[in-house]
Amino acid sequence: MDTAKINIEELAQRLIDLGASDAKAITAKSIMVEDRFAEMCSSSQCPSYGLAPSCPPHVMTPGEFRELLDRYEQAVAFKIDAPTAMLMGDGRHDIARLIHEMSSGIEKLAKENGYPNSKGMAAGSCKMIFCYDQPQCVVLHSDGDCLFPEVVRPSISGLGINFLELCKIVDWHVDIITSETDPADVPMGMLAGIVLIG
């Protein structure tokens, strides 16, 4: 294995080459984690609560994630811009799948280039993205192995990451999209991922 460390800016550029709308190197300590964002997952706002190991209550808690973050100095944040109408429909899962694939791919690339502890995170529930055609998650309900271990990554919001603060750090304009949002008023939105590099 090549142990020469790849430059973090090169990792960001690789994400853009893969189709990310933007990617930025950030410090790990700039990632704000708040319990309230993970708690939102258990509300009626999220139909994916409890369905997957990448989401609450099965993923690490915000407190555990804060402890993990303390071991890292740098990260790469990236996004895919997409029409709001797509993000409010079934197309959301296609974009989220790309986010998971990019996050896991850059994690793997970083590990191959001298950062063995790199860890990726992504938007969305893996159950809704990868196993939507399965009645239940095989990991949680059949004690089986994940069907997509190479690409599934923990949910950003499930870990408690404050996405709005992240957008401020990287200078991304973001409009909050809810089920009440009119795509005519907010034509574009985004989904994002983060890879801790270490």
Side-chain angles (χ1 to χ4, degrees), residues 46-175:
C46 183
S48 301
Y49 180 77
L51 299 183
S54 64
C55 292
H58 308 294
V59 75
M60 72 176 79
T61 66
E64 292 167 333
F65 183 58
R66 279 190 285 269
E67 290 180 13
L68 178 70
L69 266 181
D70 285 342
R71 292 182 244 157
Y72 291 83
E73 293 184 3
Q74 55 190 354
V76 178
F78 66 99
K79 66 168 180 164
I80 295 178
D81 294 326
T84 299
M86 178 182 287
L87 295 176
M88 293 178 74
D90 292 339
R92 176 183 184 85
H93 298 138
D94 295 331
I95 302 296
R97 184 183 190 107
L98 290 174
I99 295 285
H100 279 256
E101 290 170 350
M102 289 178 179
S103 185
S104 59
I106 293 303
E107 174 191 305
K108 181 181 178 188
L109 180 62
K111 286 179 175 180
E112 291 171 347
N113 284 275
Y115 297 98
N117 297 316
S118 296
K119 293 190 183 303
M121 287 131 266
S125 163
C126 61
K127 173 68 175 72
M128 303 301 286
I129 299 165
F130 295 97
C131 293
Y132 56 88
D133 58 346
Q134 301 291 319
Q136 295 178 316
C137 171
V138 296
V139 175
L140 299 180
H141 296 278
S142 305
D143 221 14
D145 295 327
C146 177
L147 302 178
F148 300 92
E150 295 302 315
V151 290
V152 166
R153 292 299 176 265
S155 161
I156 285 179
S157 54
L159 296 170
I161 293 173
N162 186 326
F163 180 67
L164 296 178
E165 286 301 316
L166 175 67
C167 288
K168 289 179 186 176
I169 291 165
V170 294
D171 196 28
W172 292 339
H173 172 78
V174 61
D175 291 303

